Amino acid sequence: MVASVIAVLLVVMIGLALPLALYRFVRAEHDKRETMTRDDAERAARRDTHEKR
């Protein structure tokens, strides 16, 4: 009986911890993003293509 209660508590704790950890990692990545002007973004997008116009 005690083992099953511990197992359920462990599953609940892991179920709560993983989404919170994922949220923290996503927020940390969000804070490191680079911002650029529209002109810089258009220039970078054009460099990504291999098509010739």
Side-chain angles (χ1 to χ4, degrees), residues 25-41:
F25 290 137
V26 169
R27 291 297 294 176
E29 185 177 280
H30 178 268
D31 294 339
K32 294 178 187 174
R33 73 178 172 187
E34 298 177 14
T35 58
M36 58 176 68
T37 65
R38 182 178 178 97
D39 292 332
D40 291 339

Side-chain angles (χ1 to χ4, degrees), residues 37-53:
T37 65
R38 182 178 178 97
D39 292 332
D40 291 339
E42 287 178 357
R43 241 180 270 117
R46 286 193 192 108
R47 279 196 305 255
D48 287 344
T49 61
H50 298 292
E51 299 176 9
K52 296 195 179 207
R53 292 182 182 194

Side-chain angles (χ1 to χ4, degrees), residues 8-32:
V8 168
L9 288 176
L10 185 63
V11 168
V12 169
M13 288 173 54
I14 291 172
L16 292 174
L18 289 178
L20 292 175
L22 180 62
Y23 176 78
R24 183 176 174 143
F25 290 137
V26 169
R27 291 297 294 176
E29 185 177 280
H30 178 268
D31 294 339
K32 294 178 187 174

